[in-house]
Amino acid sequence: MNETIETVLQGLTKKAPTSVYGNVMVGTGLWDEYAIVDGPIESMYVAWNPRGITTCVPVSIVGDDADFESRHPRSSRRGQLPSALASKLDRALDTGRLGAVPVDLSSLGDFQKAVLRKCAEIPPGEIRPYGWIATEIGNPGAVRAVGSALGRNPIPILIPCHRVVRTDGSIGNYAYGPQMKRDLLTSEGLDPITIEEKARRHVRFTGSDTTLIYCYPTCRHARRTMEQHNVEFRSSSEAEAAGYRACKVCRPAA
Amino acid sequence: METAQLALTGALAEDLDAAFPDLVRSRQDRLYSGVLRIVRHHADAADITQETLIRAYRALRGYETNRIQTLRLDGWLWTIALNLCRNRARNAHPLPSNVPDTQDPGRGPEAEAIDRTGTAAWDERLAKLTGPQRNAVVLRHVVGLSYREISEASGRPTGTVKADVHRGLDRLKKLFEAEAMR
């Protein structure tokens, strides 16, 4: 009889529900989930795992879910944004600042992480040149490397690489094309035409002759300067020679 | 089985993220089957199966390469699973936990009681064993672990585990035969 009971017990197996595999992959962070959320100029695919946001892509760049999944093999399942993450994300999109949104950059190298973290500090409606990031992260010679690190930004828009421009002040390139970069800057209240016009005149900094402080032209302090007190500089050495000191908020780099 | 386990622990040690999906695919059905027989509740069994594998992944993340290589995978996984089953029993729901494997609206409770060979009937009998006996019988005969692995999973000596299995089977047999007398 024990023999048959053993056989019966062997038959009491049951396949795990199909949801188990996906839940484990998501729970371990080996899979990301993704959803479509409203963005500043169009909706975006956003992927996340328990550590934070991993990916952000404007919908116009991606065809459909299948296309998104094939470009981002870790993002294998449509999901519902956890409510805590959703409210932080809403706030980030409202304010244009990453703020409390957790991001998972764990698959990136230390240099790229440093570049992206620094980039995330640039306030909405302001721009900085590649060289500013290079200087700020203690690597002033690495301007090109900064450019390529930003070009491979996995979380554009949320990490605002569109706010980083060429050293001469021209708007420069963008992973999703220069027009989207201009549109994003416009959505933050900047005027791409004015920016490019200054670049053509080689104006890199502006100062105020009342405070004798010079800034990047889009620094919030520069923008407060009244027109009759506004002075333009082509380089920091020109500004310093005129007796101006660098703004402590936007920290203009040579 | 042994060589397959060695190949898997080797792969996990080499590249955890690449090999972990194989661990999930090769273990999820047996974990689920065993846990389901112990907790007798589908959703809870699925939860415990998931949680076991997620905790296993997090633990493996923190282990040194040679610790993963020499890990005795199934005994270790079931240590986690049995702990979760125990925690669930401790916070036991007051609701009846017995959910039949197949929902058959045509069969009332009477038909269910008469069907002595059905899964539900065997779950009822397993529930009448002591906890250690039930765990040992399920791990040995439903999941197919060795006595050594059950000993690792339950923290009980191999000899005790063998006795648990034998007494458990004996009791199941007596329960089955007693029902036939009614």
Side-chain angles (χ1 to χ4, degrees), chain B residues 139-171:
Chain B
L139 292 184
R140 181 74 194 99
H141 292 293
V142 180
V143 182
L145 296 192
S146 67
Y147 290 119
R148 182 177 168 188
E149 287 166 332
I150 300 169
S151 160
E152 288 160 357
S154 59
R156 293 160 73 83
T158 316
T160 312
V161 167
K162 277 186 190 165
D164 287 338
V165 172
H166 291 303
R167 292 203 188 108
L169 286 177
D170 207 45
R171 178 113 171 89

PDB file of all heavy atoms in Angstrom, chain B residues 139-171:
ATOM      1  N   LEU B 139       8.167  16.908   0.848  1.00  0.00           N
ATOM      2  CA  LEU B 139       9.468  17.170   0.222  1.00  0.00           C
ATOM      3  C   LEU B 139      10.055  15.898  -0.394  1.00  0.00           C
ATOM      4  O   LEU B 139      10.651  15.919  -1.458  1.00  0.00           O
ATOM      5  CB  LEU B 139      10.451  17.770   1.232  1.00  0.00           C
ATOM      6  CG  LEU B 139      10.117  19.183   1.715  1.00  0.00           C
ATOM      7  CD1 LEU B 139      11.215  19.713   2.624  1.00  0.00           C
ATOM      8  CD2 LEU B 139       9.911  20.134   0.551  1.00  0.00           C
ATOM      9  N   ARG B 140       9.827  14.747   0.284  1.00  0.00           N
ATOM     10  CA  ARG B 140      10.387  13.493  -0.233  1.00  0.00           C
ATOM     11  C   ARG B 140       9.620  13.024  -1.463  1.00  0.00           C
ATOM     12  O   ARG B 140      10.204  12.708  -2.484  1.00  0.00           O
ATOM     13  CB  ARG B 140      10.356  12.409   0.861  1.00  0.00           C
ATOM     14  CG  ARG B 140      10.935  11.074   0.443  1.00  0.00           C
ATOM     15  CD  ARG B 140      12.444  11.136   0.357  1.00  0.00           C
ATOM     16  NE  ARG B 140      12.972   9.970  -0.348  1.00  0.00           N
ATOM     17  CZ  ARG B 140      13.317   9.975  -1.636  1.00  0.00           C
ATOM     18  NH1 ARG B 140      13.189  11.082  -2.348  1.00  0.00           N
ATOM     19  NH2 ARG B 140      13.781   8.895  -2.202  1.00  0.00           N
ATOM     20  N   HIS B 141       8.286  12.979  -1.367  1.00  0.00           N
ATOM     21  CA  HIS B 141       7.529  12.277  -2.407  1.00  0.00           C
ATOM     22  C   HIS B 141       6.824  13.177  -3.411  1.00  0.00           C
ATOM     23  O   HIS B 141       6.579  12.758  -4.536  1.00  0.00           O
ATOM     24  CB  HIS B 141       6.553  11.286  -1.763  1.00  0.00           C
ATOM     25  CG  HIS B 141       7.277  10.159  -1.099  1.00  0.00           C
ATOM     26  ND1 HIS B 141       7.997   9.223  -1.808  1.00  0.00           N
ATOM     27  CD2 HIS B 141       7.448   9.841   0.216  1.00  0.00           C
ATOM     28  CE1 HIS B 141       8.563   8.365  -0.985  1.00  0.00           C
ATOM     29  NE2 HIS B 141       8.255   8.719   0.265  1.00  0.00           N
ATOM     30  N   VAL B 142       6.451  14.391  -3.047  1.00  0.00           N
ATOM     31  CA  VAL B 142       5.855  15.292  -4.050  1.00  0.00           C
ATOM     32  C   VAL B 142       6.965  16.036  -4.794  1.00  0.00           C
ATOM     33  O   VAL B 142       6.985  16.103  -6.009  1.00  0.00           O
ATOM     34  CB  VAL B 142       4.859  16.298  -3.409  1.00  0.00           C
ATOM     35  CG1 VAL B 142       4.268  17.223  -4.478  1.00  0.00           C
ATOM     36  CG2 VAL B 142       3.750  15.574  -2.674  1.00  0.00           C
ATOM     37  N   VAL B 143       7.929  16.585  -4.009  1.00  0.00           N
ATOM     38  CA  VAL B 143       8.980  17.403  -4.610  1.00  0.00           C
ATOM     39  C   VAL B 143      10.137  16.541  -5.112  1.00  0.00           C
ATOM     40  O   VAL B 143      10.776  16.859  -6.113  1.00  0.00           O
ATOM     41  CB  VAL B 143       9.500  18.448  -3.584  1.00  0.00           C
ATOM     42  CG1 VAL B 143      10.564  19.340  -4.199  1.00  0.00           C
ATOM     43  CG2 VAL B 143       8.340  19.281  -3.049  1.00  0.00           C
ATOM     44  N   GLY B 144      10.400  15.417  -4.417  1.00  0.00           N
ATOM     45  CA  GLY B 144      11.469  14.523  -4.846  1.00  0.00           C
ATOM     46  C   GLY B 144      12.847  14.879  -4.307  1.00  0.00           C
ATOM     47  O   GLY B 144      13.854  14.598  -4.932  1.00  0.00           O
ATOM     48  N   LEU B 145      12.899  15.500  -3.117  1.00  0.00           N
ATOM     49  CA  LEU B 145      14.205  15.789  -2.512  1.00  0.00           C
ATOM     50  C   LEU B 145      14.779  14.529  -1.865  1.00  0.00           C
ATOM     51  O   LEU B 145      14.046  13.609  -1.503  1.00  0.00           O
ATOM     52  CB  LEU B 145      14.076  16.872  -1.423  1.00  0.00           C
ATOM     53  CG  LEU B 145      13.635  18.277  -1.822  1.00  0.00           C
ATOM     54  CD1 LEU B 145      13.857  19.235  -0.649  1.00  0.00           C
ATOM     55  CD2 LEU B 145      14.361  18.788  -3.052  1.00  0.00           C
ATOM     56  N   SER B 146      16.111  14.517  -1.692  1.00  0.00           N
ATOM     57  CA  SER B 146      16.753  13.424  -0.957  1.00  0.00           C
ATOM     58  C   SER B 146      16.603  13.678   0.550  1.00  0.00           C
ATOM     59  O   SER B 146      16.295  14.790   0.963  1.00  0.00           O
ATOM     60  CB  SER B 146      18.235  13.360  -1.328  1.00  0.00           C
ATOM     61  OG  SER B 146      18.884  14.514  -0.843  1.00  0.00           O
ATOM     62  N   TYR B 147      16.829  12.625   1.349  1.00  0.00           N
ATOM     63  CA  TYR B 147      16.751  12.810   2.804  1.00  0.00           C
ATOM     64  C   TYR B 147      17.740  13.877   3.261  1.00  0.00           C
ATOM     65  O   TYR B 147      17.460  14.676   4.143  1.00  0.00           O
ATOM     66  CB  TYR B 147      17.029  11.485   3.531  1.00  0.00           C
ATOM     67  CG  TYR B 147      15.923  10.474   3.359  1.00  0.00           C
ATOM     68  CD1 TYR B 147      16.161   9.244   2.758  1.00  0.00           C
ATOM     69  CD2 TYR B 147      14.626  10.767   3.799  1.00  0.00           C
ATOM     70  CE1 TYR B 147      15.139   8.317   2.589  1.00  0.00           C
ATOM     71  CE2 TYR B 147      13.602   9.852   3.635  1.00  0.00           C
ATOM     72  CZ  TYR B 147      13.866   8.631   3.023  1.00  0.00           C
ATOM     73  OH  TYR B 147      12.849   7.725   2.862  1.00  0.00           O
ATOM     74  N   ARG B 148      18.916  13.865   2.643  1.00  0.00           N
ATOM     75  CA  ARG B 148      19.929  14.852   3.023  1.00  0.00           C
ATOM     76  C   ARG B 148      19.437  16.277   2.747  1.00  0.00           C
ATOM     77  O   ARG B 148      19.607  17.179   3.561  1.00  0.00           O
ATOM     78  CB  ARG B 148      21.221  14.580   2.235  1.00  0.00           C
ATOM     79  CG  ARG B 148      22.319  15.544   2.621  1.00  0.00           C
ATOM     80  CD  ARG B 148      23.605  15.229   1.895  1.00  0.00           C
ATOM     81  NE  ARG B 148      24.549  16.336   2.067  1.00  0.00           N
ATOM     82  CZ  ARG B 148      25.702  16.436   1.441  1.00  0.00           C
ATOM     83  NH1 ARG B 148      26.066  15.512   0.578  1.00  0.00           N
ATOM     84  NH2 ARG B 148      26.497  17.453   1.646  1.00  0.00           N
ATOM     85  N   GLU B 149      18.809  16.459   1.585  1.00  0.00           N
ATOM     86  CA  GLU B 149      18.295  17.792   1.251  1.00  0.00           C
ATOM     87  C   GLU B 149      17.168  18.219   2.193  1.00  0.00           C
ATOM     88  O   GLU B 149      17.086  19.378   2.598  1.00  0.00           O
ATOM     89  CB  GLU B 149      17.815  17.821  -0.212  1.00  0.00           C
ATOM     90  CG  GLU B 149      18.972  17.819  -1.212  1.00  0.00           C
ATOM     91  CD  GLU B 149      18.541  17.519  -2.645  1.00  0.00           C
ATOM     92  OE1 GLU B 149      17.520  16.824  -2.851  1.00  0.00           O
ATOM     93  OE2 GLU B 149      19.239  17.979  -3.562  1.00  0.00           O
ATOM     94  N   ILE B 150      16.314  17.238   2.548  1.00  0.00           N
ATOM     95  CA  ILE B 150      15.224  17.574   3.483  1.00  0.00           C
ATOM     96  C   ILE B 150      15.812  17.961   4.842  1.00  0.00           C
ATOM     97  O   ILE B 150      15.348  18.892   5.499  1.00  0.00           O
ATOM     98  CB  ILE B 150      14.252  16.379   3.644  1.00  0.00           C
ATOM     99  CG1 ILE B 150      13.635  16.029   2.282  1.00  0.00           C
ATOM    100  CG2 ILE B 150      13.154  16.709   4.656  1.00  0.00           C
ATOM    101  CD1 ILE B 150      12.878  14.712   2.277  1.00  0.00           C
ATOM    102  N   SER B 151      16.864  17.229   5.235  1.00  0.00           N
ATOM    103  CA  SER B 151      17.529  17.549   6.489  1.00  0.00           C
ATOM    104  C   SER B 151      18.098  18.957   6.451  1.00  0.00           C
ATOM    105  O   SER B 151      17.957  19.739   7.396  1.00  0.00           O
ATOM    106  CB  SER B 151      18.617  16.495   6.750  1.00  0.00           C
ATOM    107  OG  SER B 151      19.560  17.007   7.662  1.00  0.00           O
ATOM    108  N   GLU B 152      18.715  19.332   5.324  1.00  0.00           N
ATOM    109  CA  GLU B 152      19.253  20.690   5.181  1.00  0.00           C
ATOM    110  C   GLU B 152      18.141  21.735   5.239  1.00  0.00           C
ATOM    111  O   GLU B 152      18.277  22.793   5.849  1.00  0.00           O
ATOM    112  CB  GLU B 152      20.002  20.817   3.845  1.00  0.00           C
ATOM    113  CG  GLU B 152      21.333  20.083   3.817  1.00  0.00           C
ATOM    114  CD  GLU B 152      21.822  19.808   2.402  1.00  0.00           C
ATOM    115  OE1 GLU B 152      21.107  20.134   1.419  1.00  0.00           O
ATOM    116  OE2 GLU B 152      22.929  19.253   2.282  1.00  0.00           O
ATOM    117  N   ALA B 153      17.024  21.413   4.574  1.00  0.00           N
ATOM    118  CA  ALA B 153      15.924  22.383   4.491  1.00  0.00           C
ATOM    119  C   ALA B 153      15.234  22.572   5.836  1.00  0.00           C
ATOM    120  O   ALA B 153      14.859  23.683   6.195  1.00  0.00           O
ATOM    121  CB  ALA B 153      14.907  21.935   3.441  1.00  0.00           C
ATOM    122  N   SER B 154      15.081  21.458   6.597  1.00  0.00           N
ATOM    123  CA  SER B 154      14.282  21.537   7.819  1.00  0.00           C
ATOM    124  C   SER B 154      15.147  21.723   9.058  1.00  0.00           C
ATOM    125  O   SER B 154      14.632  22.014  10.134  1.00  0.00           O
ATOM    126  CB  SER B 154      13.441  20.266   7.965  1.00  0.00           C
ATOM    127  OG  SER B 154      14.307  19.144   8.014  1.00  0.00           O
ATOM    128  N   GLY B 155      16.456  21.522   8.925  1.00  0.00           N
ATOM    129  CA  GLY B 155      17.332  21.640  10.082  1.00  0.00           C
ATOM    130  C   GLY B 155      17.187  20.476  11.037  1.00  0.00           C
ATOM    131  O   GLY B 155      17.601  20.548  12.193  1.00  0.00           O
ATOM    132  N   ARG B 156      16.584  19.385  10.597  1.00  0.00           N
ATOM    133  CA  ARG B 156      16.450  18.180  11.434  1.00  0.00           C
ATOM    134  C   ARG B 156      17.440  17.130  10.949  1.00  0.00           C
ATOM    135  O   ARG B 156      17.721  17.063   9.754  1.00  0.00           O
ATOM    136  CB  ARG B 156      15.017  17.645  11.354  1.00  0.00           C
ATOM    137  CG  ARG B 156      13.993  18.586  11.980  1.00  0.00           C
ATOM    138  CD  ARG B 156      12.588  18.323  11.483  1.00  0.00           C
ATOM    139  NE  ARG B 156      11.987  17.093  12.029  1.00  0.00           N
ATOM    140  CZ  ARG B 156      11.396  17.029  13.221  1.00  0.00           C
ATOM    141  NH1 ARG B 156      11.365  18.094  13.995  1.00  0.00           N
ATOM    142  NH2 ARG B 156      10.849  15.897  13.641  1.00  0.00           N
ATOM    143  N   PRO B 157      17.951  16.294  11.841  1.00  0.00           N
ATOM    144  CA  PRO B 157      18.927  15.271  11.422  1.00  0.00           C
ATOM    145  C   PRO B 157      18.323  14.313  10.397  1.00  0.00           C
ATOM    146  O   PRO B 157      17.107  14.077  10.401  1.00  0.00           O
ATOM    147  CB  PRO B 157      19.252  14.525  12.722  1.00  0.00           C
ATOM    148  CG  PRO B 157      18.783  15.415  13.822  1.00  0.00           C
ATOM    149  CD  PRO B 157      17.685  16.256  13.287  1.00  0.00           C
ATOM    150  N   THR B 158      19.182  13.767   9.537  1.00  0.00           N
ATOM    151  CA  THR B 158      18.709  12.868   8.464  1.00  0.00           C
ATOM    152  C   THR B 158      17.898  11.696   9.026  1.00  0.00           C
ATOM    153  O   THR B 158      16.860  11.326   8.482  1.00  0.00           O
ATOM    154  CB  THR B 158      19.904  12.321   7.661  1.00  0.00           C
ATOM    155  OG1 THR B 158      20.789  13.414   7.412  1.00  0.00           O
ATOM    156  CG2 THR B 158      19.456  11.742   6.344  1.00  0.00           C
ATOM    157  N   GLY B 159      18.381  11.118  10.115  1.00  0.00           N
ATOM    158  CA  GLY B 159      17.676   9.975  10.709  1.00  0.00           C
ATOM    159  C   GLY B 159      16.265  10.354  11.127  1.00  0.00           C
ATOM    160  O   GLY B 159      15.304   9.606  10.898  1.00  0.00           O
ATOM    161  N   THR B 160      16.134  11.532  11.722  1.00  0.00           N
ATOM    162  CA  THR B 160      14.824  12.012  12.155  1.00  0.00           C
ATOM    163  C   THR B 160      13.917  12.236  10.944  1.00  0.00           C
ATOM    164  O   THR B 160      12.726  11.907  10.968  1.00  0.00           O
ATOM    165  CB  THR B 160      14.992  13.344  12.923  1.00  0.00           C
ATOM    166  OG1 THR B 160      16.038  13.188  13.881  1.00  0.00           O
ATOM    167  CG2 THR B 160      13.713  13.744  13.607  1.00  0.00           C
ATOM    168  N   VAL B 161      14.515  12.787   9.878  1.00  0.00           N
ATOM    169  CA  VAL B 161      13.733  13.047   8.669  1.00  0.00           C
ATOM    170  C   VAL B 161      13.202  11.739   8.085  1.00  0.00           C
ATOM    171  O   VAL B 161      12.032  11.635   7.700  1.00  0.00           O
ATOM    172  CB  VAL B 161      14.589  13.802   7.621  1.00  0.00           C
ATOM    173  CG1 VAL B 161      13.922  13.794   6.257  1.00  0.00           C
ATOM    174  CG2 VAL B 161      14.865  15.221   8.083  1.00  0.00           C
ATOM    175  N   LYS B 162      14.071  10.708   8.063  1.00  0.00           N
ATOM    176  CA  LYS B 162      13.636   9.397   7.555  1.00  0.00           C
ATOM    177  C   LYS B 162      12.461   8.880   8.371  1.00  0.00           C
ATOM    178  O   LYS B 162      11.458   8.417   7.822  1.00  0.00           O
ATOM    179  CB  LYS B 162      14.787   8.387   7.639  1.00  0.00           C
ATOM    180  CG  LYS B 162      15.744   8.480   6.475  1.00  0.00           C
ATOM    181  CD  LYS B 162      16.764   7.354   6.539  1.00  0.00           C
ATOM    182  CE  LYS B 162      17.854   7.597   5.518  1.00  0.00           C
ATOM    183  NZ  LYS B 162      19.028   6.762   5.751  1.00  0.00           N
ATOM    184  N   ALA B 163      12.593   8.994   9.705  1.00  0.00           N
ATOM    185  CA  ALA B 163      11.506   8.534  10.584  1.00  0.00           C
ATOM    186  C   ALA B 163      10.233   9.335  10.316  1.00  0.00           C
ATOM    187  O   ALA B 163       9.139   8.781  10.250  1.00  0.00           O
ATOM    188  CB  ALA B 163      11.929   8.675  12.044  1.00  0.00           C
ATOM    189  N   ASP B 164      10.383  10.679  10.098  1.00  0.00           N
ATOM    190  CA  ASP B 164       9.217  11.526   9.787  1.00  0.00           C
ATOM    191  C   ASP B 164       8.508  11.012   8.538  1.00  0.00           C
ATOM    192  O   ASP B 164       7.272  10.911   8.502  1.00  0.00           O
ATOM    193  CB  ASP B 164       9.650  12.982   9.538  1.00  0.00           C
ATOM    194  CG  ASP B 164      10.058  13.705  10.816  1.00  0.00           C
ATOM    195  OD1 ASP B 164       9.631  13.273  11.907  1.00  0.00           O
ATOM    196  OD2 ASP B 164      10.805  14.706  10.706  1.00  0.00           O
ATOM    197  N   VAL B 165       9.296  10.709   7.504  1.00  0.00           N
ATOM    198  CA  VAL B 165       8.699  10.261   6.240  1.00  0.00           C
ATOM    199  C   VAL B 165       7.974   8.937   6.451  1.00  0.00           C
ATOM    200  O   VAL B 165       6.822   8.780   6.036  1.00  0.00           O
ATOM    201  CB  VAL B 165       9.771  10.122   5.138  1.00  0.00           C
ATOM    202  CG1 VAL B 165       9.171   9.480   3.888  1.00  0.00           C
ATOM    203  CG2 VAL B 165      10.374  11.482   4.798  1.00  0.00           C
ATOM    204  N   HIS B 166       8.637   7.989   7.136  1.00  0.00           N
ATOM    205  CA  HIS B 166       8.020   6.676   7.312  1.00  0.00           C
ATOM    206  C   HIS B 166       6.759   6.759   8.162  1.00  0.00           C
ATOM    207  O   HIS B 166       5.728   6.194   7.809  1.00  0.00           O
ATOM    208  CB  HIS B 166       9.032   5.689   7.913  1.00  0.00           C
ATOM    209  CG  HIS B 166      10.121   5.357   6.938  1.00  0.00           C
ATOM    210  ND1 HIS B 166       9.854   4.836   5.694  1.00  0.00           N
ATOM    211  CD2 HIS B 166      11.469   5.512   6.997  1.00  0.00           C
ATOM    212  CE1 HIS B 166      10.989   4.672   5.025  1.00  0.00           C
ATOM    213  NE2 HIS B 166      11.991   5.084   5.803  1.00  0.00           N
ATOM    214  N   ARG B 167       6.841   7.490   9.268  1.00  0.00           N
ATOM    215  CA  ARG B 167       5.646   7.627  10.121  1.00  0.00           C
ATOM    216  C   ARG B 167       4.542   8.353   9.380  1.00  0.00           C
ATOM    217  O   ARG B 167       3.364   8.008   9.491  1.00  0.00           O
ATOM    218  CB  ARG B 167       5.990   8.379  11.409  1.00  0.00           C
ATOM    219  CG  ARG B 167       6.894   7.556  12.304  1.00  0.00           C
ATOM    220  CD  ARG B 167       6.826   7.978  13.764  1.00  0.00           C
ATOM    221  NE  ARG B 167       7.873   7.252  14.493  1.00  0.00           N
ATOM    222  CZ  ARG B 167       8.987   7.810  14.954  1.00  0.00           C
ATOM    223  NH1 ARG B 167       9.206   9.104  14.804  1.00  0.00           N
ATOM    224  NH2 ARG B 167       9.883   7.072  15.569  1.00  0.00           N
ATOM    225  N   GLY B 168       4.935   9.344   8.600  1.00  0.00           N
ATOM    226  CA  GLY B 168       3.939  10.116   7.845  1.00  0.00           C
ATOM    227  C   GLY B 168       3.211   9.238   6.838  1.00  0.00           C
ATOM    228  O   GLY B 168       1.980   9.254   6.755  1.00  0.00           O
ATOM    229  N   LEU B 169       3.986   8.438   6.093  1.00  0.00           N
ATOM    230  CA  LEU B 169       3.370   7.551   5.104  1.00  0.00           C
ATOM    231  C   LEU B 169       2.465   6.537   5.788  1.00  0.00           C
ATOM    232  O   LEU B 169       1.365   6.230   5.305  1.00  0.00           O
ATOM    233  CB  LEU B 169       4.457   6.817   4.301  1.00  0.00           C
ATOM    234  CG  LEU B 169       5.218   7.657   3.257  1.00  0.00           C
ATOM    235  CD1 LEU B 169       6.301   6.811   2.606  1.00  0.00           C
ATOM    236  CD2 LEU B 169       4.270   8.198   2.194  1.00  0.00           C
ATOM    237  N   ASP B 170       2.935   6.019   6.932  1.00  0.00           N
ATOM    238  CA  ASP B 170       2.171   5.041   7.685  1.00  0.00           C
ATOM    239  C   ASP B 170       0.825   5.613   8.107  1.00  0.00           C
ATOM    240  O   ASP B 170      -0.223   4.974   7.963  1.00  0.00           O
ATOM    241  CB  ASP B 170       3.012   4.656   8.914  1.00  0.00           C
ATOM    242  CG  ASP B 170       2.663   3.262   9.381  1.00  0.00           C
ATOM    243  OD1 ASP B 170       2.557   2.382   8.497  1.00  0.00           O
ATOM    244  OD2 ASP B 170       2.473   3.081  10.592  1.00  0.00           O
ATOM    245  N   ARG B 171       0.871   6.846   8.586  1.00  0.00           N
ATOM    246  CA  ARG B 171      -0.342   7.505   9.055  1.00  0.00           C
ATOM    247  C   ARG B 171      -1.289   7.745   7.871  1.00  0.00           C
ATOM    248  O   ARG B 171      -2.497   7.515   7.989  1.00  0.00           O
ATOM    249  CB  ARG B 171       0.050   8.830   9.716  1.00  0.00           C
ATOM    250  CG  ARG B 171      -1.094   9.668  10.208  1.00  0.00           C
ATOM    251  CD  ARG B 171      -1.104   9.761  11.743  1.00  0.00           C
ATOM    252  NE  ARG B 171      -2.086  10.754  12.206  1.00  0.00           N
ATOM    253  CZ  ARG B 171      -3.359  10.432  12.460  1.00  0.00           C
ATOM    254  NH1 ARG B 171      -3.789   9.194  12.305  1.00  0.00           N
ATOM    255  NH2 ARG B 171      -4.204  11.372  12.869  1.00  0.00           N
TER     256      ARG B 171
END
